[in-house]
Amino acid sequence: MYESGEDYLEAILRLQEENGFVRSVDVAHKLNVSRPSVSRAMGILEKDGYIEFVLGNTIKLTEKGSEKAHDIYSRHKLLTKFLMMITNLPEDQCEENACRIEHDIDVDVVNGIRTWVEKNSTDK
């Protein structure tokens, strides 16, 4: 899956958690992209089985989409926390960097970071 597809899935998950429902216009605002871009992306995600449209064009993650979105978002949160721990920089700056890193990082590196964070976290 392309980075942009992962960004869309993560945005859908976060909007679903925040609002309880997701519309294309909400995704466009969250990602600061045009509605036609969202429409194109939603068509691809639907075709690939990650989302479905329900009740008046509300976007819903399928089981496959939910698993992928949760994986992406957990990586995002882990990397944000890790960067905050090692740099002492503000959360928003670390979150922006985590967003760029989360798409290209190897699974074994993520697992190593998770182990390090668990061992070094003060909020165990």
Side-chain angles (χ1 to χ4, degrees):
M1 170 176 282
Y2 291 108
E3 180 178 326
S4 61
E6 290 186 350
D7 286 339
Y8 280 104
L9 287 176
E10 182 180 350
I12 292 166
L13 174 65
R14 293 175 78 174
L15 286 164
Q16 191 174 298
E17 289 177 352
E18 292 167 15
N19 304 332
F21 63 93
V22 182
R23 301 168 302 163
S24 291
V25 67
D26 302 321
V27 177
H29 285 124
K30 180 110 179 142
L31 294 177
N32 197 27
V33 296
S34 70
R35 288 175 66 174
S37 293
V38 172
S39 180
R40 244 185 338 273
M42 294 306 105
I44 293 167
L45 291 173
E46 183 181 33
K47 180 177 92 40
D48 291 344
Y50 290 103
I51 65 161
E52 59 188 5
F53 289 95
V54 295
L55 303 174
N57 287 335
T58 302
I59 301 165
K60 181 178 183 272
L61 292 167
T62 62
E63 185 176 333
K64 175 182 175 181
S66 182
E67 287 177 17
K68 183 74 171 171
H70 277 93
D71 178 56
I72 296 161
Y73 190 42
S74 70
R75 239 184 352 218
H76 178 96
K77 291 188 297 187
L78 174 68
L79 289 169
T80 300
K81 183 174 184 173
F82 175 69
L83 292 173
M84 289 173 62
M85 288 173 72
I86 64 169
T87 65
N88 290 319
L89 292 171
E91 183 174 2
D92 60 336
Q93 184 177 1
C94 291
E95 188 169 7
E96 286 176 24
N97 281 273
C99 194
R100 291 193 297 271
I101 296 168
E102 71 191 27
H103 304 289
D104 295 319
I105 194 166
D106 293 333
V107 171
D108 54 339
V109 175
V110 171
N111 291 335
I113 290 171
R114 183 174 289 110
T115 300
W116 186 91
V117 167
E118 287 170 358
K119 190 179 352 178
N120 292 283
S121 183
T122 57
D123 53 277
K124 292 182 181 177

